Amino acid sequence: MGITFRKETFRDDFTFRNSPEHIRRFPFPFHEDSYMYAVNIEPHVVGPKGSVLENLIDVDEHYVAEMQDRALVLAEDPLRCQSLPHMTLAGWDLLELLMEQQALGYPEHFTLTRDGDRWRWINRPLGIDDTFTFGDTSTLPYGPMEYITRQSQGDFCILDQRDGNLWMDAGMVTTQADWSLDFDIGMNFFEWHAPVPLAHEKGIFIRALKFLTNIQQGKPARRLNWTMTINPRLDTSPENYHKWGPDRTTVTPENVGDKVHLRVELQSFWRLPRSNGIVFPIRCYLIKMDELVTQPKWARRLHRVIRDLPEELATYKGLTRYRPTLVEWLLKLDDGSPTSPGFGPDSVF
Amino acid sequence: MSTGTTKLDVVVSDVVPVNDLVTRFHFRRRDRELLPTFSGGAHVVVEMRDGERTRLNPYSLMGSPLDTREYTISVRRDDVGRGGSLFMHRSVKPGLEMVISYPVNLFSLDLRARKHLMLAGGIGITPFMAQTSQLAGSGGNFELHYTSRTASLGTYADLLQQRYDRRVRLYHDDLDERIELDRLLSSQPLGTHLYVCGPAGMINWVRDRAAALGWPAETVHFEHFAAPQPGAPFDVTLAVTGKTIRVGSQQSLLEAIEAAGVDPPYLCRGGVCGQCETNVVSHDGKFIHNDHWLSEEDHRSACKIMPCVSRFEGKSLVLER
């Protein structure tokens, strides 16, 4: 049985919702009652059935709506998708990876057929059936990276590896937590992470770079990151700050449950075979507080995490203005009882 | 995270003598699937099961990255080495089942280059076989200068000239032909990247001249896998695991550590990638450093060793393993 894709919006009337099954599979990012940075990287291997890790590239009920939202963002601002001239080969690598993984995980929705370099790609949810020559950009309606990332959930950064560093030289970025590809394009790993507080002092980026430059083909890795977003808005970019920034002043005790969303990024890292680059998919999952607190363990734990979050992190994540309102709302759902270890809800699948 | 890379179960599909010193080996997957795609300059680590001994040697992939039905490597026979190349030449026959690693690329093309200037010495030609195939397939601009001792030892020189004609220039030591390096390096268009693979002396010469002539370091790329050198046996204490081991004269320190059941991370096994870097707890004696990873200061201070290629002579050595 295939996925039932929701008709919903991530702007204007904000009709985005998670079904009960999708609430339970939400990648809750806190394994204990507090949070601090760590190099929390692990092998990106297939996880339990019914979780977001069931397939290494996850497709869910929001797929069609997210792709429609991406098309709207790109129509307004084409610079959300950029690829420096030397990154075309890496774009083909990414096209192969995403077609293979989506066809493997969801054969009822996607089919890839190859005859040498003649490839046929069928994407049923989006009504696409294209035949093209792998490696020949003139046979696709867009460059290879843009073509496939208009059909894949999550943002994608393609990093060139040279001189012992990684360089942000291509990407499709429309569902970002307040950073800009147009600003970061061409930067190296330390340059684009410069604004992150506390982590530099802990030497985290030096260790992380060493790890990432040694990622091997066939051995992808992953980590979770998180922030919060007011209203289920995928595009919280600096370019559109004037649209979403003021949302943060609208949180009241009455609307916390509907307006405040936990935003989790499942970040994975893959070595690309032809270009020797790294692709860094950043897959965004949103869940509103009303949905999250249907799992009592998550409600208790989130209360403790947000209450005790160091001030620098709260500022960096943009929570300062509504944190007291949120903590007060969550407090009512925290009876002080202990929470079980691990990420999952108490009602595990 | 874990030791080495994912492994591939392969079968030797062909063994082809190329000249007096070099033999080419072809591998296919045992399950008949395609091998993983790779990029020009990548190597695989070949596991050689030679009786009780296991050797793991890196070899550059030399086939076209566009054809992954098989991988090919070329092995130069080293009669005074530790026996890996002799094992390949004498014992590896078509039909033998072997295990190799996934490809790893530590000598990648810089795809920003307007032109790729390649300098090869001897068996150092192998990564350029794959890189030129990759570039030729995408209309890339390259020029290859290849030195060998004699014409008959110029492995694949005929093939390269046939494929790329005037983009390949050959030099033979026995005819006193030498690359006019300064002239070559001084006459390249802006945006050229330089790649060199060959004996250590050649790499040092090219890097020194390029630096003297003002080439930015990030445009000069080189790969030199140091083969582990044989030497006198020595004893080592592994402080973390509490083991004392003996490193045989034909064995590398890394192999001896592995034989004791300890698995340090590794990738290249040639002193290049840095994965097996090991801290020295204490020592009484002298290190024989053969790696290209540690800084000169690291070597002088005797605080670290790369066990894949380096050895020790003296009374005692304690490592943090």
Side-chain angles (χ1 to χ4, degrees):
Chain A
M1 203 190 75
I3 303 163
T4 307
F5 298 105
R6 295 179 57 87
K7 286 196 176 65
E8 59 193 0
T9 56
F10 301 90
R11 55 180 70 207
D12 305 326
D13 56 351
F14 297 114
T15 59
F16 166 87
R17 300 282 181 282
N18 285 295
S19 66
E21 302 74 54
H22 272 60
I23 293 173
R24 277 193 299 279
R25 83 199 282 276
F26 187 80
F28 188 73
F30 307 111
H31 67 281
E32 58 186 10
D33 289 355
S34 63
Y35 173 79
M36 191 54 207
Y37 287 129
V39 183
N40 53 336
I41 302 180
E42 59 180 350
H44 189 36
V45 292
V46 168
K49 207 168 155 45
S51 75
V52 299
L53 299 173
E54 182 175 350
N55 293 292
L56 295 183
I57 295 292
D58 180 44
V59 176
D60 69 14
E61 64 183 2
H62 310 297
Y63 174 75
V64 174
E66 284 190 25
M67 293 304 97
Q68 287 165 348
D69 195 71
R70 165 158 293 163
L72 292 174
V73 174
L74 289 168
E76 285 175 5
D77 184 0
L79 293 177
R80 302 301 188 83
C81 178
Q82 297 191 43
S83 176
L84 297 184
H86 61 286
M87 298 302 281
T88 306
L89 185 62
W92 286 107
D93 277 330
L94 179 61
L95 175 139
E96 177 183 48
L97 172 74
L98 292 175
M99 286 186 179
E100 275 183 349
Q101 291 294 327
Q102 295 191 124
L104 178 74
Y106 310 90
E108 65 278 40
H109 299 304
F110 306 95
T111 306
L112 175 65
T113 323
R114 301 191 222 198
D115 175 15
D117 56 9
R118 280 306 272 176
W119 291 27
R120 183 179 177 195
W121 169 245
I122 304 173
N123 177 336
R124 293 179 194 85
L126 297 183
I128 292 168
D129 182 347
D130 283 336
T131 300
F132 60 96
T133 305
F134 186 87
D136 182 352
T137 306
S138 70
T139 60
L140 285 175
Y142 304 100
M145 178 189 74
E146 179 168 1
Y147 177 78
I148 195 58
T149 57
R150 279 176 176 268
Q151 304 177 48
S152 305
Q153 285 173 276
D155 285 342
F156 295 86
C157 303
I158 310 186
L159 315 178
D160 194 20
Q161 181 165 334
R162 50 177 202 266
D163 312 331
N165 211 325
L166 296 169
W167 305 78
M168 179 86 69
D169 285 352
M172 166 69 91
V173 180
T174 68
T175 67
Q176 68 273 53
D178 200 9
W179 71 278
S180 164
L181 176 71
D182 191 40
F183 186 76
D184 286 359
I185 191 104
M187 287 189 185
N188 71 34
F189 191 75
F190 298 113
E191 290 167 344
W192 84 68
H193 281 119
V196 182
L198 302 180
H200 291 275
E201 292 81 348
K202 289 169 165 272
I204 281 181
F205 289 121
I206 292 169
R207 289 204 302 277
L209 178 65
K210 194 171 171 185
F211 176 85
L212 291 172
T213 51
N214 276 310
I215 290 264
Q216 294 308 312
Q217 228 175 298
K219 281 200 163 178
R222 67 171 172 245
R223 70 181 284 262
L224 291 177
N225 195 12
W226 70 277
T227 186
M228 303 198 91
T229 300
I230 304 308
N231 294 326
R233 209 186 271 278
L234 284 174
D235 174 24
T236 50
S237 58
E239 286 88 347
N240 278 335
Y241 184 79
H242 59 287
K243 294 182 186 164
W244 59 268
D247 288 355
R248 295 190 290 201
T249 64
T250 64
V251 178
T252 64
E254 293 71 40
N255 65 19
V256 166
D258 184 50
K259 268 196 181 286
V260 179
H261 290 70
L262 180 60
R263 180 185 193 108
V264 172
E265 292 175 353
L266 172 59
Q267 308 178 342
S268 56
F269 313 92
W270 310 65
R271 174 72 60 195
L272 296 173
R274 293 170 187 78
S275 58
N276 204 39
I278 298 259
V279 66
F280 174 30
I282 308 166
R283 173 65 185 278
C284 167
Y285 294 90
L286 291 168
I287 190 168
K288 58 179 76 238
M289 288 299 109
D290 279 342
E291 293 170 345
L292 185 130
V293 301
T294 59
Q295 311 300 317
K297 169 182 163 183
W298 287 355
R300 292 200 298 277
R301 178 162 290 166
L302 187 66
H303 169 245
R304 297 165 200 181
V305 167
I306 301 295
R307 181 191 63 198
D308 301 339
L309 195 67
E311 197 54 43
E312 298 95 321
L313 288 182
T315 305
Y316 175 64
K317 290 177 186 290
L319 318 183
T320 313
R321 193 180 273 271
Y322 57 85
R323 177 152 79 153
T325 312
L326 173 62
V327 170
E328 200 172 315
W329 189 82
L330 286 168
L331 171 63
K332 295 179 189 133
L333 298 157
D334 184 357
D335 60 6
S337 62
T339 53
S340 58
F343 300 95
D346 284 322
S347 54
V348 272
F349 36 76
Chain B
M1 198 157 70
S2 63
T3 298
T5 64
T6 310
K7 303 287 190 263
L8 294 163
D9 292 326
V10 295
V11 59
V12 178
S13 50
D14 207 356
V15 176
V16 182
V18 181
N19 56 35
D20 285 352
L21 288 177
V22 175
T23 297
R24 184 172 71 241
F25 299 87
H26 296 238
F27 302 107
R28 288 180 184 247
R29 271 174 93 131
R30 281 184 230 163
D31 60 13
R32 295 165 186 271
E33 296 290 313
L34 290 177
L35 287 152
T37 310
F38 65 98
S39 48
H43 72 269
V44 294
V45 172
V46 177
E47 297 189 12
M48 303 171 197
R49 307 227 172 269
D50 182 6
E52 292 291 290
R53 261 189 87 171
T54 299
R55 293 189 194 82
L56 297 144
N57 284 8
Y59 294 103
S60 296
L61 292 173
M62 52 160 289
S64 166
L66 307 176
D67 179 3
T68 53
R69 283 170 302 177
E70 62 177 15
Y71 283 169
T72 49
I73 61 169
S74 286
V75 180
R76 181 186 187 279
R77 197 182 73 231
D78 181 356
D79 294 318
V80 295
R82 302 174 320 120
S85 67
L86 285 174
F87 173 82
M88 290 298 291
H89 277 247
R90 287 174 185 160
S91 307
V92 174
K93 306 281 188 240
L96 182 70
E97 296 193 336
M98 298 186 82
V99 173
I100 63 175
S101 73
Y102 254 61
V104 173
N105 200 340
L106 302 173
F107 188 49
S108 189
L109 291 168
D110 190 322
L111 296 174
R112 296 173 307 164
R114 304 279 173 83
K115 177 181 172 184
H116 305 270
L117 177 64
M118 302 168 169
L119 306 185
I123 195 65
I125 191 64
T126 52
F128 295 122
M129 299 293 291
Q131 289 185 337
T132 51
S133 293
Q134 179 179 336
L135 288 171
S138 58
N141 181 12
F142 67 89
E143 182 179 305
L144 171 66
H145 297 257
Y146 177 17
T147 32
S148 59
R149 273 154 51 192
T150 66
S152 63
L153 291 176
T155 314
Y156 306 119
D158 296 352
L159 179 67
L160 285 162
Q161 276 205 316
Q162 192 187 319
R163 278 185 190 162
Y164 308 121
D165 192 29
R166 288 162 51 143
R167 289 201 266 181
V168 178
R169 178 79 198 274
L170 305 176
Y171 306 83
H172 303 113
D173 294 346
D174 63 336
L175 301 176
D176 256 350
E177 296 167 345
R178 258 170 88 84
I179 299 175
E180 286 185 68
L181 188 61
D182 281 18
R183 199 166 67 90
L184 186 67
L185 295 182
S186 304
S187 58
Q188 295 303 319
L190 210 61
T192 302
H193 278 244
L194 174 64
Y195 304 84
V196 53
C197 184
M202 177 183 185
I203 291 173
N204 293 337
W205 174 54
V206 172
R207 291 180 65 200
D208 287 349
R209 291 316 302 155
L213 293 167
W215 283 63
E218 61 270 21
T219 62
V220 180
H221 312 269
F222 56 95
E223 175 158 77
H224 177 66
F225 285 152
Q229 297 300 307
F234 59 100
D235 295 322
V236 183
T237 302
L238 306 179
V240 178
T241 48
K243 298 184 182 199
T244 298
I245 59 172
R246 162 148 284 221
V247 183
S249 65
Q250 297 293 320
Q251 201 177 23
S252 74
L253 172 54
L254 178 59
E255 288 167 352
I257 293 172
E258 289 169 342
V262 180
D263 281 325
Y266 71 83
L267 281 178
C268 75
R269 304 182 81 90
V272 177
C273 75
Q275 285 288 295
C276 68
E277 180 181 303
T278 300
N279 290 327
V280 174
V281 177
S282 67
H283 72 288
D284 178 4
K286 90 173 199 284
F287 289 94
I288 303 158
H289 291 293
N290 293 315
D291 65 278
H292 302 270
W293 171 257
L294 297 175
S295 65
E296 278 179 37
E297 196 192 321
D298 286 336
H299 284 168
R300 269 198 308 275
S301 69
C303 58
K304 289 172 183 171
I305 185 170
M306 303 306 293
C308 58
V309 291
S310 298
R311 303 185 71 87
F312 179 78
E313 283 176 0
K315 285 188 187 147
S316 73
L317 174 61
V318 182
L319 297 179
E320 192 182 68
R321 280 290 174 200

